């Protein structure tokens, strides 16, 4: 019987991922864990991958709304920055340095913000949802800038080195700061947890309900789905995981300012990553976050006008390939298959 | 004492009105283009900084070339022509070129993707302005200095701000007349209802479309040109203006001129009184107001078009 169950699971996994994809996935995962020890990787590369993973967490969360629920948010900076600021302020005012407490705290704060502004915003859809999220998130940005006695204003808040389970990971690793020590693994594990949890949620009846709402809200309402409430739940889930990404960003950068984590252009960037990777595919946003960070780091080395290049990429993607990198990938796979099929017939 | 309080109030109201003038010029175009053409252009607000930067260059060039040779009146007339005519005209041409290349491919796609693609465009415009005018704050106070200030009990106030208010009031009146009383204005309003049906009557909707688009951009550029002599411009401001333009759009109602006028006045006054009595909350009040209005009346104060 246990044999049967096992086969059942294997078949199930195979059906979902395909043999080759799961092999690729496993290989990537092993590669990510071994990454700091691979020949040729230095501090910079590990930092870059850490940043990609942190943003990938937030972009995956963003796609819960854009890709699965059909809601464009221009307010995700509130969740991302809310969590980053929660971490920074808890360190500054309460001397909290334990990473294992700071992460849940940041996520919780982001979740609370999502409960409130999500509740208000889901009363509307489409452009109105986007603009209401924008207004409420910008309210938080403006307050953070203005209440400088509490938040440090535009100077932001420094994030000191946290401890992990009471151990200062920097010194515990032997050499201070080498490859960022355990922090990289904290981010990697958070990323894996996010992928597993969101995959599970999005392939559960909850995820299917969201898709139904995305495809046709009227019909969803007609078959008895409380559309507004599910949009609210989706906003909260998206907010929680975006907060996780924000907390990771804070630890990684050691400093947060309103301009880098709370400004509305940060929300735009998360939307950008998601669209760049492809909203229609679960793993799309990961590719998008990776491509975004890599293009940006290359562009920044080339020119100080890297915003221009990012803007151009976003524009071209939307005009020519709205399905993003996943869309390009799917098209290439289709071409290869057609070509093979065609070759066989001849 | 009473005189002191009155003059305080007068300064606050004047500040509110001149703030409202900039907001009106910024937001009307966005609102008209969304209401009439159903195109949500996040990049619209970037034409205000573009106008301001261009105004700065033109003012500096003028002062350098003919500053000493012209008398007060001559110089003032030159400034007026530059800021009220040349800047909007040049920026309109830029806008027209962008309409044909960058904006046109976006008309058919979903609102969400329009917002994102125009977010890409605003990033490009910001960097293009940074490339041309540099990252340092730019200012050109010559026109304002020329007009000077008038004194109030307890302070002075620049005449330029009064001029800004008057010019904007004139523009608002002209637009109002255009939509209420001219044939083209009526056609435009009809297009907002049903562009296809208007097209069937043989009217060239594409050309009217372009006119509305260009008028919107010219207004934003004018806003920048009038704003500059009493303030300074930095590149980051483009992204801040976007938010304010949307506040005007949302509070007033999409595509409503009356709404844009009312919303600019309300926001201008909230900002002026806010920055006087509760400076910390000045901008926060604007977004709180925006959120409240969206909750109570999602279509804005004068909006009728359902999303």
């Amino acid at each position: 019987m246990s044999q049967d169950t096992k086969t059942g699971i294997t078949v199930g996994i195979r059906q979902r991922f395909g043999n080759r994809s799961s092999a690729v996935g496993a290989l990537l995962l092993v590669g990510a864990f071994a990454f700091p020890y691979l020949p040729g990787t230095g501090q910079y590369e590990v930092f870059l991958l850490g940043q990609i993973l942190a943003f990938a967490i937030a972009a995956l969360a963003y796609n819960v709304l854009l890709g699965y629920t059909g809601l464009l948010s221009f307010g995700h900076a509130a969740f991302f920055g809310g969590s980053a600021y929660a971490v920074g302020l808890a360190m500054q005012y309460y001397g909290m340095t334990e990473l294992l407490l700071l992460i849940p705290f940041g996520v919780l704060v982001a979740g609370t913000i999502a409960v409130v502004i999500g509740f208000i915003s889901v009363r509307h859809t489409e452009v109105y949802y986007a603009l209401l999220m924008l207004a409420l998130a910008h309210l938080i940005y403006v307050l953070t800038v203005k209440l400088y006695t509490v938040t440090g204003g535009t100077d932001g808040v420094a994030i000191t080195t946290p401890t992990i389970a009471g151990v200062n990971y920097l010194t515990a690793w032997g050499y201070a700061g080498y490859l960022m020590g355990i922090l990289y693994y904290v981010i990697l594990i958070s990323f894996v947890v996010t992928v597993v949890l969101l995959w599970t949620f999005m392939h559960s009846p909850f995820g299917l309900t969201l898709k139904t709402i995305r495809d046709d809200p009227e019909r969803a309402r007609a078959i008895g789905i409380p559309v507004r409430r599910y949009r609210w739940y989706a906003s909260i889930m998206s907010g929680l995981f975006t907060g996780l990404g924000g907390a990771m960003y804070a630890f990684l950068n050691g400093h947060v300012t309103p301009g880098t984590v709370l400004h509305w252009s940060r929300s735009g960037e998360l939307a950008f990553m998601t669209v760049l990777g492809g909203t229609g595919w679960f793993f799309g946003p990961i590719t998008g976050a990776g491509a975004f960070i890599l293009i940006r780091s290359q562009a920044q080395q080339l020119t100080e006008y890297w915003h221009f290049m990012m803007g151009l990429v976003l524009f071209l993607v939307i005009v020519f390939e709205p399905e993003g990198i996943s869309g390009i990938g799917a098209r290439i796979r289709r071409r290869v298959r057609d070509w093979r099929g065609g070759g066989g017939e001849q | 004492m009473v005189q002191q309080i009155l003059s305080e109030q007068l300064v606050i109201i004047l500040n509110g009105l001149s703030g409202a003038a900039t907001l009106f010029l910024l937001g009307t175009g966005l609102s008209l283009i969304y209401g009439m053409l159903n195109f949500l252009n996040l990049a619209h607000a970037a034409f205000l900084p573009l106008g301001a930067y261009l105004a700065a260059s033109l003012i500096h060039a003028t002062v350098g070339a003919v500053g000493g040779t012209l008398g007060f009146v001559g110089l003032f007339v030159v400034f007026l022509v530059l800021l009220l005519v040349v800047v909007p005209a040049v920026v309109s041409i830029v806008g027209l070129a962008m309409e044909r290349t960058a904006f046109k491919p976006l008309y058919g796609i979903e609102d969400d993707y329009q917002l994102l693609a125009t977010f890409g465009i605003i990033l490009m415009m910001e960097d293009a302005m940074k490339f041309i005018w540099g990252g340092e704050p730019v200012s050109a106070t010559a026109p304002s200095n020329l007009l000077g200030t008038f004194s109030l009990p307890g302070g002075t106030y620049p005449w330029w701000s009064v001029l800004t208010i008057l010019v904007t009031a004139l523009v608002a009146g002209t637009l109002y007349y255009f939509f209420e009383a001219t044939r083209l204005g009526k056609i435009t309003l009809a297009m907002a209802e049903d562009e296809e049906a208007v097209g069937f009557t043989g009217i060239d909707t594409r050309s009217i479309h372009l006119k509305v688009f260009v008028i919107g951009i010219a207004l934003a550029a004018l806003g920048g040109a009038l704003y500059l002599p009493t303030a300074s411009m930095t590149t980051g401001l483009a992204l801040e203006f976007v938010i304010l333009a949307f506040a005007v759009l949302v509070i007033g109602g999409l595509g409503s001129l009356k709404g844009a006028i009312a919303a600019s006045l309300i926001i201008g006054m909230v900002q002026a009184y806010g920055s006087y009595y509760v400076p910390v909350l000045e901008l926060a009040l604007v977004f709180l107001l925006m959120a409240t209005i969206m909750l109570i009346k999602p279509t804005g104060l004068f909006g009728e078009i359902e999303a």
Side-chain angles (χ1 to χ4, degrees):
Chain A
M1 187 189 148
S2 75
Q3 189 78 32
D4 266 14
T5 325
K6 236 182 187 172
T7 322
I9 291 170
T10 324
V11 169
I13 288 172
R14 245 181 230 166
Q15 277 168 349
R16 274 182 181 167
F17 295 92
N19 247 341
R20 205 179 302 160
S21 322
S22 57
V24 170
L27 211 66
L28 280 177
L29 197 62
V30 172
F33 271 95
F35 188 71
Y37 298 99
L38 295 179
T41 36
Q43 180 118 23
Y44 176 71
E45 283 77 15
V46 178
F47 176 78
L48 210 59
L49 187 57
Q51 200 155 27
I52 289 174
L53 292 173
F55 276 109
I57 295 172
L60 278 168
Y62 191 92
N63 200 31
V64 169
L65 282 179
L66 187 62
Y68 284 87
T69 324
L71 290 171
L72 174 79
S73 153
F74 256 104
H76 262 55
F79 312 140
F80 192 83
S83 167
Y85 259 88
V87 166
L89 294 176
M91 280 182 154
Q92 188 169 327
Y93 288 103
Y94 300 106
M96 209 199 273
T97 55
E98 178 49 51
L99 190 120
L100 298 178
L101 291 175
L102 285 167
I103 294 173
F105 180 64
V107 170
L108 203 68
V109 169
T112 312
I113 296 172
V115 166
V116 177
I117 73 175
F119 179 76
I120 301 171
S121 302
V122 291
R123 295 164 64 91
H124 303 296
T125 54
E126 295 173 20
V127 175
Y128 286 104
Y129 177 85
L131 294 185
L132 205 46
M133 289 289 279
L134 180 73
L136 294 167
H138 208 65
L139 189 66
I140 296 176
Y141 166 80
V142 166
L143 283 176
T144 310
V145 170
K146 293 279 177 168
L147 298 173
Y148 48 85
T149 44
V150 183
T151 60
T154 48
D155 294 338
V157 179
I159 314 279
T160 45
T161 313
T163 54
I164 297 168
V167 182
N168 183 333
Y169 73 86
L170 280 185
T171 47
W173 213 255
Y175 351 69
Y178 177 66
L179 300 181
M180 298 186 308
I182 299 175
L183 187 59
Y184 170 76
Y185 287 102
V186 170
I187 298 174
L188 183 57
I189 290 166
S190 306
F191 170 75
V192 173
V193 168
T194 305
V195 169
V196 170
L197 284 181
L198 283 181
W199 174 273
T200 313
F201 288 139
M202 288 308 117
H203 291 82
S204 71
F206 176 71
L208 290 177
T209 310
L210 295 185
K211 276 191 197 170
T212 313
I213 294 173
R214 174 198 65 193
D215 291 339
D216 195 334
E218 287 309 314
R219 251 182 234 178
R221 202 167 283 127
I223 61 170
I225 296 172
V227 170
R228 190 186 285 180
R229 204 186 316 151
Y230 269 90
R231 281 184 175 140
W232 185 36
Y233 296 157
S235 301
I236 295 169
M237 179 174 289
S238 185
L240 285 169
F241 284 98
T242 307
L244 183 61
M248 296 303 145
Y249 175 90
F251 293 126
L252 201 51
N253 284 268
H255 190 236
V256 292
T257 62
T260 52
V261 294
L262 282 168
H263 196 264
W264 72 268
S265 52
R266 173 64 73 202
S267 310
E269 277 179 18
L270 286 178
F272 182 175
M273 291 174 199
T274 311
V275 169
L276 181 62
T279 53
W281 194 49
F282 181 83
F283 296 101
I286 303 173
T287 328
F292 180 91
I293 300 292
L294 290 178
I295 297 171
R296 189 177 71 178
S297 75
Q298 286 304 309
Q300 276 173 332
Q301 282 169 19
L302 278 175
T303 162
E304 63 172 304
Y305 304 105
W306 57 273
H307 276 118
F308 189 92
M309 288 176 67
M310 302 312 290
L312 188 64
V313 171
L314 177 58
F315 178 79
L316 294 176
V317 165
I318 289 179
V319 173
F320 294 106
E321 189 55 71
E323 286 177 57
I325 295 171
S326 321
I328 297 174
R331 190 181 295 163
I332 290 173
R333 275 200 299 279
R334 211 159 42 230
R335 285 255 171 89
V336 169
R337 207 175 48 223
D338 287 355
W339 177 73
R340 270 193 190 160
E345 273 166 40
Q346 282 170 359
Chain B
M1 187 62 201
V2 174
Q3 206 184 16
Q4 181 70 38
I5 292 169
L6 279 179
S7 110
E8 255 173 38
Q9 292 298 315
L10 182 65
V11 169
I12 296 173
I13 289 170
L14 281 173
N15 280 334
L17 286 175
S18 62
T22 308
L23 287 168
F24 172 78
L25 295 168
L26 176 69
T28 312
L30 180 72
S31 183
L32 290 181
I33 291 167
Y34 186 55
M36 310 286 160
L37 315 179
N38 199 24
F39 176 53
L40 196 51
N41 185 8
L42 208 60
H44 180 81
F47 289 100
L48 187 139
L50 188 60
Y53 277 121
L54 187 64
S57 293
L58 290 174
I59 291 168
H60 287 309
T62 314
V63 172
V66 294
T69 57
L70 291 169
F72 172 87
V73 176
L75 195 58
F76 183 64
V77 169
V78 171
F79 281 145
L80 276 191
V81 170
L82 287 180
L83 299 185
L84 302 187
V85 180
V86 178
V87 169
V90 173
V91 174
S92 293
I93 292 167
V94 175
L96 203 61
M98 284 178 65
E99 202 275 345
R100 301 200 160 215
T101 51
F103 295 124
K104 208 177 162 196
L106 307 176
Y107 289 147
I109 65 178
E110 280 175 60
D111 284 0
D112 290 356
Y113 281 86
Q114 279 179 357
L115 270 176
L116 280 174
T118 50
F119 172 62
I121 293 174
I122 197 172
L123 291 179
M124 288 191 265
M125 287 178 74
E126 253 211 327
D127 259 11
M129 288 189 269
K130 193 171 151 195
F131 178 74
I132 299 171
W133 285 284
E136 297 296 307
V138 166
S139 62
T141 53
S144 179
N145 295 343
L146 196 65
L147 276 184
T149 56
F150 61 94
S151 53
L152 288 164
T156 57
Y157 201 79
W159 275 114
W160 187 264
S161 298
V162 179
L163 181 78
T164 303
I165 296 166
L166 294 177
V167 170
T168 308
L170 197 69
V171 169
T174 312
L175 279 176
Y176 198 76
Y177 173 79
F178 169 75
F179 283 113
E180 294 291 319
T182 66
R183 185 171 170 272
L184 187 59
K186 294 232 161 89
I187 294 171
T188 317
L189 288 176
M191 268 174 63
E193 296 293 325
D194 192 339
E195 182 164 345
E196 216 176 323
V198 175
F200 287 148
T201 64
I203 292 166
D204 184 2
T205 52
R206 170 79 185 147
S207 116
I208 291 173
H209 182 123
L210 277 177
K211 277 177 193 145
V212 173
F213 199 89
V214 166
I215 289 172
I217 285 173
L219 289 178
L222 178 66
L226 288 170
Y227 173 83
L228 187 75
T230 51
S232 67
M233 193 53 63
T234 49
T235 38
L237 277 177
L239 288 174
E240 300 303 318
F241 278 121
V242 172
I243 301 277
L244 286 170
F246 274 109
V248 174
L249 177 83
V250 164
I251 293 175
L254 312 177
S256 162
L257 183 67
K258 261 186 266 178
I261 296 172
S264 331
L265 285 172
I266 291 170
I267 300 173
M269 287 302 162
V270 165
Q271 279 196 303
Y273 275 94
S275 68
Y276 192 81
Y277 291 108
V278 270
V280 170
L281 295 178
E282 178 206 339
L283 267 174
L285 285 173
V286 174
F287 299 108
L288 208 57
L289 185 73
M290 175 172 164
T292 314
I293 286 183
M294 281 195 80
L295 281 178
I296 299 168
K297 197 165 182 297
T299 50
L301 295 177
F302 291 89
E304 280 153 20
I305 302 159
E306 288 290 332

